[in-house]
Amino acid sequence: MSNQPIPLSHFAPTHSSEVGKLVNETQQFIAHLSEKGGPDPSDYLMLNTLLQNFSEEKTQSMVSEAQLQKLREAFGDALSPETIQGWAYQQPLGYAGDFKIIEKIYNYERSPVHKLAKWDDFFHSQKAPKAVRNRLSLFLDQLWKTKMAHPSGTQILNVASGPGRDMYEALKVLGASDLRIDCVEQDSHAIDFAKTLCQEFHQNINFIHKNIFRFFTDTTYHLIWSAGLFDYFNDNLFKRTIRKLAKSLKPNGRMVIGNFSPDNPDRGYMELCNWKLIHRSKEHLAQLARECGFEDHQIQVEQEPEGINLFLVITN
Ligand SMILES: C[S@@+](CC[C@H](N)C(=O)[O-])C[C@H]1O[C@@H](n2cnc3c(N)ncnc32)[C@H](O)[C@@H]1O
């Protein structure tokens, strides 16, 4: 049987009583899965179809906090930090999208608790974590292009560097060359982790423990990269940060900013797990860049193969 979800139009509720039915049906199915030790691949079609209803803006606006709570309770232990979805929900480091969850996604981590591991298999089968993993090759591609264009003294700024997995994988391919990456990261635990992971490339990477809003530099960069950060910013903060970073671009330098697309089918599931992002379309991202003073010929929007993570590319 295919795991493609049944089109939403079959289900999408239009009245609050239909939403009530959907919540009940979803709650019962999740509780059933939790009782039997997590979803098997044969359950994914039904679970995806039910959860994807909650990605619909119209449905979301009709679901109450009490109904969301009811759905969360149905997960039981599957919403403890022993699972990735539970890590997202509980936020043990105190904020959403911490370096550990990203590292769990990159590494296809599976809960050591036997009865919960199937929930992680389900999580990893979703498009959103696939899109996160696709960042690795996109980052490598950007680094490669930048290094080819500026073979000596390549300067890169990595904003919100997290676990550093993208740098580690890219530098393994590119080799320790004449390339320098400055990383701005607010979480000292993330920096400690990334320093250990990227130990063999310590001459290439410089970590700066700072909130990006308090980071000022005279250095200019060939490439400024940021993934997994701007989706948490409202439009004003997004633009303020772009304008600020743009001052640190070299002539012809490139800024690449990741943001989840509204086409993310896992939005409902993620929000159920308290992982709230601001999803932006290609048009929306381009418009924000225009409002920062960039012209159309300087703006492009790229995407990874899933089409879920978009990348606003601004050329100076
Ligand atoms: C979702 S992770 C992304 C990590 C990495 N860019 C990646 O794609 O693998 C987000 C990271 O942003 C960091 N972060 C969040 N807000 C920040 C801020 N205002 N300044 C600097 N770092 C920030 C967090 O500590 C976390 O490590």
Side-chain angles (χ1 to χ4, degrees):
M1 183 166 52
S2 155
N3 270 329
Q4 288 304 307
I6 297 163
L8 281 177
S9 53
H10 282 269
F11 287 91
T14 49
H15 298 292
S16 57
S17 61
E18 288 172 348
V19 170
K21 268 195 215 156
L22 174 67
V23 169
N24 284 339
E25 198 182 332
T26 310
Q27 183 227 344
Q28 281 165 19
F29 192 59
I30 293 172
H32 156 72
L33 296 177
S34 289
E35 260 169 47
K36 78 178 184 107
D40 290 298
S42 56
D43 299 314
Y44 291 2
L45 173 63
M46 183 66 175
L47 186 55
N48 277 329
T49 302
L50 288 168
L51 290 174
Q52 285 181 20
N53 279 291
F54 295 93
S55 299
E56 282 279 281
E57 255 173 63
K58 190 157 183 234
T59 309
Q60 278 186 353
S61 66
M62 291 190 284
V63 179
S64 68
E65 200 43 50
Q67 285 172 318
L68 279 180
Q69 211 39 46
K70 192 170 151 182
L71 287 173
R72 288 174 182 141
E73 280 163 16
F75 282 98
D77 285 352
L79 222 48
S80 77
E82 298 283 3
T83 62
I84 303 179
Q85 61 190 19
W87 188 281
Y89 179 63
Q90 306 282 352
Q91 300 183 2
L93 300 193
Y95 61 95
D98 62 68
F99 75 98
K100 282 202 174 174
I101 197 163
I102 297 300
E103 187 61 5
K104 286 169 191 279
I105 293 172
Y106 286 141
N107 294 330
Y108 286 93
E109 200 178 291
R110 206 162 179 260
S111 178
V113 181
H114 182 67
K115 65 175 182 150
L116 298 178
K118 284 182 182 175
W119 285 105
D120 285 339
D121 295 339
F122 172 70
F123 181 93
H124 289 304
S125 75
Q126 300 297 299
K127 279 182 173 258
K130 282 184 191 163
V132 168
R133 286 189 288 268
N134 285 341
R135 283 179 196 163
L136 296 177
S137 51
L138 252 108
F139 183 67
L140 168 62
D141 187 49
Q142 289 295 334
L143 243 60
W144 177 262
K145 279 197 243 173
T146 311
K147 192 169 153 341
M148 286 294 120
H150 311 281
S152 65
T154 318
Q155 295 267 22
I156 291 151
L157 179 66
N158 184 359
V159 180
S161 47
R165 178 67 56 186
D166 46 6
M167 295 186 291
Y168 174 69
E169 295 296 338
L171 290 173
K172 264 198 319 190
V173 176
L174 296 178
S177 53
D178 190 8
L179 180 148
R180 162 130 178 153
I181 311 178
D182 285 343
C183 299
V184 182
E185 169 57 56
Q186 70 167 10
D187 184 342
S188 62
H189 300 293
I191 293 184
D192 291 345
F193 182 92
K195 265 189 187 163
T196 308
L197 178 67
C198 301
Q199 212 165 9
E200 65 192 276
F201 304 112
H202 69 275
Q203 287 178 329
N204 300 92
I205 307 175
N206 170 43
F207 290 98
I208 303 154
H209 180 209
K210 273 246 157 37
N211 184 323
I212 188 61
F213 307 126
R214 298 201 197 94
F215 169 71
F216 299 97
T217 181
D218 291 331
T219 309
T220 53
Y221 298 93
H222 298 107
L223 171 69
I224 298 178
W225 164 272
S226 188
L229 179 67
F230 280 69
D231 338 53
Y232 295 90
F233 294 171
N234 66 26
D235 282 358
N236 281 337
L237 208 48
F238 188 111
K239 287 188 283 183
R240 194 141 56 88
T241 314
I242 293 285
R243 283 196 196 101
K244 172 185 165 142
L245 291 175
K247 292 184 189 142
S248 300
L249 273 180
K250 286 188 189 293
N252 292 317
R254 210 166 50 247
M255 177 154 43
V256 182
I257 304 294
N259 204 116
F260 267 81
S261 150
D263 291 338
N264 174 14
D266 304 328
R267 184 176 181 163
Y269 173 42
M270 289 168 70
E271 292 188 1
L272 202 54
C273 300
N274 215 9
W275 198 345
K276 295 192 179 115
L277 300 175
I278 298 178
H279 293 71
R280 294 185 171 95
S281 65
K282 289 185 175 179
E283 297 69 34
H284 190 163
L285 290 169
Q287 180 56 27
L288 292 177
R290 267 181 231 113
E291 288 171 23
C292 289
F294 294 99
E295 294 178 15
D296 282 345
H297 69 91
Q298 297 178 282
I299 304 169
Q300 268 177 288
V301 182
E302 296 180 3
Q303 62 182 52
E304 44 69 47
E306 295 292 331
I308 306 295
N309 257 198
L310 301 179
F311 292 85
L312 171 63
V313 182
I314 296 174
T315 309
N316 200 15

